[in-house]
Amino acid sequence: MRVALFITCVNDTLFPGTGRAVVTLLRRLGCDVDFPRAQTCCGQMHVNTGYPEEGRRLARHFVDVFAGYDAVVAPSGSCAAMVREQYPRLARTPAAPAMAGRGTPAGLITGTVEAPAAGDASGSFAAEVAELVPKVYDLSEFLVDVLGVTDVGAYFPHRVTYHPTCHSMRILRVGDRPTRLLEQVRGLELVPLPGADECCGFGGTFAVKNPAISAAMCADKVHNVATTGAEVLCAADNSCLMHIGGTLKRQRTGVRIMHLAEILAATEATR
């Protein structure tokens, strides 16, 4: 199976080890993994802050970059949800004529995004989106639903609690797939997180626009994490882990943060 890694901006910039863990894990499970270097931001922050035209251009580029793969896997429920939930809506809405002559933004990873041609038919774009979207997966979905595995051969002898991030839980509806994977990791003790379904307060630009509310929500989450006695807080979105991890560190809890992919990629040989 030919799989493309959709790394996402946060991981590419701040958590490259997560991307390496995804590649290690998928190759261990027999996948042919590729990293399309022309990939850029998926456009989530643009659409969420009121710039749908810029988001549409990034969506057009995403479709061009990832077309032809059997699957596109992202270590981020948030960005996978953007593609699956918002791209069909963007594709159904014709681009505003005023956008045609605007400059092209620099790509956030290695590529650039061209403005859509004036004759780019929204119907054609919508069809391409409809073909690609079902192939875009959060990591846990891909492992459980496509590869049909829950035991990925991992070894991680630590006490772990899992935070289900909002987009993975409420938009992608990944359900218990991540915890089913963690339960099969040898040596790992999985402990439930009180108030697990409560938002950590990050929410992308929400944390910037509403810092006091965001900090209060994060304080509640950190309190709940501390009550578990866990050594490690695991989640499938590094953006949320970054937010919670900052407070965990400031409060000197001693709890580490780790992405799901990094735990699943761990073996006795890597310890």
Side-chain angles (χ1 to χ4, degrees), residues 154-160 182-190:
Y155 173 74
F156 192 74
H158 298 282
R159 186 178 173 93
V160 176
L182 290 170
E183 287 168 350
Q184 296 300 316
V185 175
R186 286 178 299 113
L188 186 148
E189 179 188 359
L190 183 63

Side-chain angles (χ1 to χ4, degrees), residues 30-95:
C31 295
D32 177 12
V33 185
D34 189 20
F35 178 75
R37 294 184 63 83
Q39 62 182 286
T40 61
C41 177
C42 67
Q44 179 179 184
M45 60 184 174
H46 304 75
V47 172
N48 288 351
T49 50
Y51 295 90
E53 297 300 342
E54 285 79 355
R56 183 177 294 105
R57 290 162 64 194
L58 288 162
R60 169 74 269 179
H61 183 71
F62 184 99
V63 170
D64 290 342
V65 168
F66 288 102
Y69 288 97
D70 297 316
V72 179
V73 177
S76 167
S78 177
C79 295
M82 169 65 189
V83 176
R84 296 236 299 260
E85 187 80 2
Q86 295 289 350
Y87 277 20
R89 297 175 184 174
L90 291 172
R92 288 194 299 266
T93 306

Side-chain angles (χ1 to χ4, degrees), residues 5 7 15-27 75 261-262 265:
L5 170 61
I7 186 62
F15 300 96
T18 296
R20 289 193 291 268
V22 173
V23 173
T24 297
L25 175 62
L26 294 183
R27 285 179 175 167
E262 294 174 84

Side-chain angles (χ1 to χ4, degrees), residues 181-214:
L181 290 159
L182 290 170
E183 287 168 350
Q184 296 300 316
V185 175
R186 286 178 299 113
L188 186 148
E189 179 188 359
L190 183 63
V191 293
L193 176 63
D197 61 350
E198 296 173 7
C199 178
C200 71
F202 178 63
T205 56
F206 177 84
V208 177
K209 296 175 181 177
N210 304 278
I213 298 173
S214 174

Side-chain angles (χ1 to χ4, degrees), residues 13-267:
T13 307
L14 300 174
F15 300 96
T18 296
R20 289 193 291 268
V22 173
V23 173
T24 297
L25 175 62
L26 294 183
R27 285 179 175 167
R28 190 167 79 212
L29 295 173
C31 295
D32 177 12
V33 185
D34 189 20
F35 178 75
R37 294 184 63 83
Q39 62 182 286
T40 61
C41 177
C42 67
Q44 179 179 184
M45 60 184 174
H46 304 75
V47 172
N48 288 351
T49 50
Y51 295 90
E53 297 300 342
E54 285 79 355
R56 183 177 294 105
R57 290 162 64 194
L58 288 162
R60 169 74 269 179
H61 183 71
F62 184 99
V63 170
D64 290 342
V65 168
F66 288 102
Y69 288 97
D70 297 316
V72 179
V73 177
S76 167
S78 177
C79 295
M82 169 65 189
V83 176
R84 296 236 299 260
E85 187 80 2
Q86 295 289 350
Y87 277 20
R89 297 175 184 174
L90 291 172
R92 288 194 299 266
T93 306
M99 292 296 298
R102 294 181 63 169
T104 58
L108 295 184
I109 299 180
T110 58
T112 57
V113 181
E114 299 296 333
D120 187 16
S122 61
S124 172
F125 181 32
E128 292 174 68
V129 167
E131 181 178 354
L132 179 62
V133 160
K135 301 176 184 178
V136 177
Y137 300 92
D138 159 81
L139 177 63
S140 69
E141 292 179 306
F142 182 73
L143 294 173
V144 176
D145 297 348
V146 179
L147 297 186
V149 298
T150 53
D151 186 345
V152 298
Y155 173 74
F156 192 74
H158 298 282
R159 186 178 173 93
V160 176
T161 193
Y162 175 76
H163 166 62
T165 60
C166 291
H167 285 89
S168 64
M169 178 171 56
R170 296 183 171 89
I171 298 180
L172 294 183
R173 301 185 184 279
V174 301
D176 65 351
R177 293 176 183 86
T179 54
R180 286 164 61 191
L181 290 159
L182 290 170
E183 287 168 350
Q184 296 300 316
V185 175
R186 286 178 299 113
L188 186 148
E189 179 188 359
L190 183 63
V191 293
L193 176 63
D197 61 350
E198 296 173 7
C199 178
C200 71
F202 178 63
T205 56
F206 177 84
V208 177
K209 296 175 181 177
N210 304 278
I213 298 173
S214 174
M217 295 170 72
C218 191
D220 289 343
K221 181 64 66 174
V222 165
H223 170 76
N224 289 338
V225 171
T227 65
T228 66
E231 303 167 68
V232 176
L233 172 67
C234 172
D237 276 277
N238 273 326
S239 53
C240 298
L241 282 175
M242 176 177 65
H243 183 62
I244 304 169
T247 301
L248 286 168
K249 187 173 182 180
R250 285 191 294 274
Q251 293 189 9
R252 297 177 178 159
T253 62
V255 181
R256 291 184 290 149
I257 57 169
M258 284 189 73
H259 192 280
L260 176 66
E262 294 174 84
I263 292 178
L264 297 180
T267 63

